[in-house]
């Protein structure tokens, strides 16, 4: 855990939960696992405030606890989960693309709540759908909205995008342990939902009652996002996109079918999956001609991701995830070296990585670069820790005649860690820049929000075009132009954060499969 990662986590907690929660989370990051009293003395906050902060972090699945001493819990911050908060919009968009708008609302509610009961998710998402589709939703369709929301929730649970939260075995213990049975993890039975109670609460909430007291069965069972399921989809998408770029979209479909069949035989997170036959893949791609030829091309172009291991059943193929992310990471780092040092330095870096160990004279000869320039670029890469030197003595005898040989090599693990540090630092700088620009233009942004709110109210109340135009003229042309520039820059910063998160995801996958 590094200083840059700490700053990013602190910034995220402060932006989403406020200063008190951020202070408690930062203390847990620095000090590790700590009991409540030590947290209070370290943060200099009242006991009640620390309890509230821990409750917020626990509800959003960012803190776990264990027994420190008999009857005394100690709390631990899951810093990897804190980083995933920036990925929530990507989760929501992914579900929207795959299952539709109603499922998007459900994931949005759960991501904002951290943990929520099934009844709360259905009611809240139904009300959001009604507000978002007031014009296009008739009374009959709204009456059945809770059933639609329930079906989408069941579909998300069945596809393992949402899972049940663990519950305490014995709530009477001072430090209860949270567990959940494997068969209950993705199980939501019909008797756990009362459709009449759901419909009643939705109607009361629409009538203006804030939180009506409507009892729901199994109100002690909570649900949360299953991050692993999303990451499997993102991981597969990265691999398929790389094949599409190298070959064509049909090759991406072949790889997708191969992955789908492999998941029926292997754990999705293993490094090397069990083999599948061509006939099994053909069952998922009946309309595709030349399947064998495509699989052969994918085997050659995938960088070791797809491997042929036998001829039974028309040919047996398997997925090697370690090779896949090793290839993706190599391509990513090659691009970084090229952007920082130029194409010649990238050529030297690739050459050393492929040959594992190389002498300085060999680098100049095999890279076909001028010797002096090759030496300069090699030592620049060495200075920035992209290359390492390994000293090799001819003999162990301490004689001046026995010169040492210096071999250049690439320590990929250290390079990946270094780039992860750069990514965390860049992510923190982007968040600071976005916040600074928002603060500098706060008055303009607030004015734009006020104008937009007034226009919306006029549209709903039947205001005339002259009235709406009069409100729109409250913002001068210079303000509108400046607002457009501010929004454009904010969008660029947001897109940069997403791209950085994508880089971090690839590097984290490489690190994960390297440690298996």
């Amino acid at each position: 855990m590094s200083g840059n990662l700490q700053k990013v986590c602190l910034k995220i907690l402060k932006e989403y939960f406020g200063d008190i929660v951020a202070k408690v989370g930062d203390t847990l990051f620095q000090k590790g696992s700590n009991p409540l009293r030590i947290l209070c003395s370290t943060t200099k906050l009242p006991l009640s405030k620390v309890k509230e902060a821990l409750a917020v972090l626990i509800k959003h699945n960012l803190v776990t606890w264990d027994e420190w001493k008999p009857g005394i819990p100690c709390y631990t911050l899951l810093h990897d989960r804190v980083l995933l908060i920036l990925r929530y919009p990507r989760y929501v968009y992914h579900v929207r693309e795959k299952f539709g708008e109603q499922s998007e609302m459900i994931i949005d509610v759960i991501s904002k709540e951290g943990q929520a009961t099934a009844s709360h998710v259905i009611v809240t998402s139904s009300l959001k759908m009604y507000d978002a589709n007031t014009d296009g939703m008739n009374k009959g369709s709204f009456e059945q909205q809770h059933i639609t929301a329930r079906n989408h929730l069941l579909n998300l649970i069945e596809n393992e995008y949402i899972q049940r939260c663990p519950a305490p075995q014995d709530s009477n213990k001072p430090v209860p342990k949270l567990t959940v049975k494997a068969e209950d993890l993705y199980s939501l039975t019909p008797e756990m939902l009362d459709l009449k109670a759901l419909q009643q609460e939705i109607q009361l909430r629409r009538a203006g009652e804030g939180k009506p007291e409507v009892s729901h069965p199994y109100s002690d069972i909570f649900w949360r996002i299953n991050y692993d399921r999303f990451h499997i989809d993102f991981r597969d998408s990265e691999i398929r996109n790389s094949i599409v770029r190298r070959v064509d979209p049909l090759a991406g479909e072949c790889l997708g079918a191969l992955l789908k069949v492999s998941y029926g035989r292997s754990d999705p997170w293993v490094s090397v999956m069990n083999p599948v036959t061509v006939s099994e893949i053909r069952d998922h791609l009946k309309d595709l001609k030349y399947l064998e030829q495509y699989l052969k091309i994918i085997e050659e172009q995938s960088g070791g991701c797809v491997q042929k291991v036998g001829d039974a059943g028309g040919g047996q193929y398997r997925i090697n995830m370690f090779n896949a992310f090793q290839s993706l990471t190599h391509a990513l780092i090659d691009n970084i070296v090229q952007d920082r040092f130029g194409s010649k330095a990238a050529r030297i870096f690739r050459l050393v990585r492929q040959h594992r160990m190389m002498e300085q004279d060999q680098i100049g000869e095999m890279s076909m670069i001028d010797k002096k320039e090759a030496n300069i670029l090699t030592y620049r890469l060495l200075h920035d820790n992209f290359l390492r030197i390994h000293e090799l003595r001819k003999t162990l005898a301490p004689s001046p005649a026995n010169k040492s040989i210096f071999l250049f090599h690439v320590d990929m693990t250290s390079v990946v860690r270094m780039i992860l540090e750069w990514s965390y630092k860049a992510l923190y700088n982007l968040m600071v820049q976005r916040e600074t620009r928002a603060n500098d233009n706060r008055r303009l942004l607030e004015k734009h929000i006020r104008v937009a709110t007034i226009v919306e109210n006029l549209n709903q109340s039947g205001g005339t075009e002259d009235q709406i135009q009069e409100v729109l003229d409250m913002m001068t042309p210079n303000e509108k132009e400046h607002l457009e520039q501010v929004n454009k820059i904010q969008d660029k910063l947001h897109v940069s954060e997403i791209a950085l998160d994508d880089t971090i995801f690839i590097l984290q996958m490489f690190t994960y499969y390297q440690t298996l």
Side-chain angles (χ1 to χ4, degrees):
M1 293 185 293
S2 64
N4 291 321
L5 179 58
Q6 178 190 349
K7 291 198 294 185
V8 171
C9 291
L10 176 61
K11 194 69 180 174
I12 294 171
L13 292 175
K14 189 174 182 180
E15 183 175 334
Y16 284 85
F17 304 109
D19 294 335
I20 295 176
V21 175
K23 193 171 185 179
V24 173
D26 190 47
T27 303
L28 286 173
F29 191 102
Q30 294 182 52
K31 305 295 183 181
S33 300
N34 272 301
L36 185 60
R37 293 294 179 182
I38 295 179
L39 285 175
C40 292
S41 62
T42 306
T43 58
K44 309 297 182 185
L45 292 172
L47 180 63
S48 60
K49 294 293 184 183
V50 177
K51 285 183 177 180
E52 290 175 3
L54 285 173
V56 170
L57 291 170
I58 291 171
K59 185 180 180 183
H60 285 82
N61 312 299
L62 304 177
V63 163
T64 59
W65 69 81
D66 203 354
E67 194 165 24
W68 181 54
K69 290 181 179 180
I72 301 177
C74 64
Y75 301 93
T76 305
L77 180 72
L78 305 176
H79 58 273
D80 290 337
R81 293 274 183 90
V82 177
L83 282 177
L84 295 183
I85 293 176
L86 297 178
R87 209 170 285 170
Y88 283 174
R90 192 176 175 187
Y91 297 153
V92 173
Y93 178 76
H94 179 71
V95 168
R96 180 188 177 91
E97 290 293 305
K98 197 166 185 179
F99 300 107
E101 190 177 358
Q102 182 71 64
S103 297
E104 173 198 4
M105 291 292 184
I106 291 172
I107 292 294
D108 183 60
V109 170
I110 297 178
S111 64
K112 290 178 179 177
E113 298 280 347
Q115 300 177 10
T117 61
S119 58
H120 176 78
V121 171
I122 292 172
V123 170
T124 307
S125 62
S126 298
L127 292 171
K128 283 190 172 186
M129 278 297 294
Y130 181 80
D131 294 337
N133 300 282
T134 305
D135 298 331
M137 184 177 290
N138 55 40
K139 184 178 179 181
S141 61
F142 177 67
E143 292 294 332
Q144 301 297 320
Q145 184 60 37
H146 63 291
I147 299 178
T148 306
R150 179 204 62 178
N151 294 339
H152 280 270
L153 178 63
L154 288 171
N155 187 38
L156 288 171
I157 293 174
E158 183 181 352
N159 286 277
E160 301 185 358
Y161 289 95
I162 297 173
Q163 62 181 195
R164 185 183 296 192
C165 298
Q169 291 179 331
D170 186 0
S171 56
N172 295 324
K173 289 185 177 181
V175 187
K177 290 186 178 181
L178 303 182
T179 57
V180 59
K181 295 180 180 179
E183 58 269 20
D184 294 335
L185 197 57
Y186 304 104
S187 173
L188 179 62
T189 55
E191 62 268 13
M192 296 173 67
L193 294 172
D194 186 348
L195 293 179
K196 290 184 178 180
L198 292 172
Q199 188 176 25
Q200 181 184 1
E201 183 173 352
I202 291 172
Q203 291 173 347
L204 292 174
R205 293 269 293 270
R206 283 296 304 160
E209 296 189 19
K211 289 186 178 180
E213 295 183 359
V214 179
S215 60
H216 296 280
Y218 297 94
S219 57
D220 57 341
I221 296 177
F222 290 80
W223 301 85
R224 65 184 180 186
I225 291 176
N226 181 16
Y227 301 108
D228 287 347
R229 184 66 182 87
F230 283 96
H231 293 165
I232 288 172
D233 286 355
F234 296 161
R235 179 196 67 185
D236 296 348
S237 178
E238 293 287 348
I239 299 172
R240 282 199 304 269
N241 290 341
S242 66
I243 291 297
V244 169
R245 288 192 296 267
R246 292 184 182 186
V247 189
D248 62 17
L250 287 177
E253 290 184 20
C254 290
L255 183 59
L258 177 57
L259 285 165
K260 189 173 182 179
V261 176
S262 298
Y263 291 152
R265 295 190 169 189
S266 310
D267 184 343
W269 288 106
V270 296
S271 180
V272 180
M273 296 188 179
N274 294 326
V276 298
T277 62
V278 174
S279 58
E280 291 173 315
I281 302 172
R282 192 181 296 280
D283 291 339
H284 291 77
L285 297 170
K286 295 180 180 179
D287 298 332
L288 180 64
K289 297 180 180 180
Y290 312 113
L291 177 60
E292 291 82 358
Q293 289 81 352
Y294 265 108
L295 289 172
K296 186 175 180 181
I297 293 172
I298 293 171
E299 181 189 4
E300 295 171 353
Q301 298 292 327
S302 63
C305 172
V306 177
Q307 300 171 334
K308 187 173 183 180
V309 294
D311 297 322
Q316 290 182 320
Y317 292 85
R318 70 181 181 187
I319 299 288
N320 190 317
M321 286 295 178
F322 173 75
N323 289 345
F325 276 93
Q326 187 179 52
S327 178
L328 286 171
T329 304
H330 288 171
L332 174 65
I333 296 175
D334 290 346
N335 289 331
I336 292 173
V337 172
Q338 183 169 340
D339 289 339
R340 289 177 65 89
F341 306 105
S343 59
K344 292 182 179 179
R347 191 191 310 170
I348 292 172
F349 180 77
R350 284 195 299 269
L351 194 66
V352 175
R353 189 188 69 231
Q354 292 169 1
H355 287 78
R356 299 182 182 272
M357 294 278 185
M358 292 188 71
E359 295 185 46
Q360 188 170 343
D361 293 337
Q362 287 180 312
I363 293 174
E365 293 173 3
M366 298 186 68
S367 63
M368 293 184 290
I369 301 173
D370 180 70
K371 185 177 180 180
K372 182 178 179 181
E373 186 179 6
N375 291 343
I376 292 172
L377 292 173
T378 302
Y379 280 102
R380 282 187 64 188
L381 292 170
L382 179 67
H383 178 267
D384 285 4
N385 297 318
F386 282 95
L387 295 180
R388 296 288 181 91
I389 284 183
H390 178 71
E391 182 180 356
L392 185 65
R393 293 185 179 182
K394 290 184 178 180
T395 64
L396 297 177
S399 172
N402 294 326
K403 296 181 180 180
S404 297
I405 299 173
F406 294 95
L407 300 175
F408 291 88
H409 68 100
V410 176
D411 186 351
M412 190 55 65
T413 302
S414 65
V415 172
V416 167
R417 289 175 181 170
M418 179 181 66
I419 295 176
L420 269 174
E421 286 298 308
W422 291 355
S423 300
Y424 295 144
K425 186 176 182 180
L427 188 59
Y428 174 77
N429 292 338
L430 284 171
M431 295 178 69
V432 170
Q433 182 73 2
R434 179 164 51 81
E435 183 183 18
T436 302
R437 289 187 175 276
N439 290 333
D440 292 343
N441 300 278
R442 184 174 299 279
R443 293 182 62 184
L444 179 63
L445 294 172
E446 289 176 351
K447 183 177 180 180
H448 172 66
I449 292 172
R450 287 198 303 271
V451 170
T453 304
I454 295 171
V455 170
E456 185 178 355
N457 292 334
L458 286 173
N459 286 326
Q460 292 179 355
S461 60
T464 64
E465 293 183 4
D466 293 337
Q467 290 175 326
I468 295 173
Q469 187 60 42
E470 184 179 355
V471 174
L472 291 174
D473 291 339
M474 291 171 60
M475 293 193 68
T476 64
N478 289 336
E479 287 178 333
K480 291 179 181 178
E481 184 179 354
H482 185 57
L483 178 65
E484 186 178 352
Q485 293 176 353
V486 170
N487 289 334
K488 190 179 293 185
I489 293 173
Q490 293 290 76
D491 290 342
K492 285 184 178 179
L493 292 173
H494 184 64
V495 169
S496 300
E497 287 183 21
I498 295 173
L500 264 177
D501 179 68
D502 195 29
T503 300
I504 291 172
F505 178 76
I506 292 175
L507 297 177
Q508 286 177 338
M509 286 290 101
F510 172 81
T511 304
Y512 170 78
Y513 283 111
Q514 196 176 40
T515 56
L516 287 181

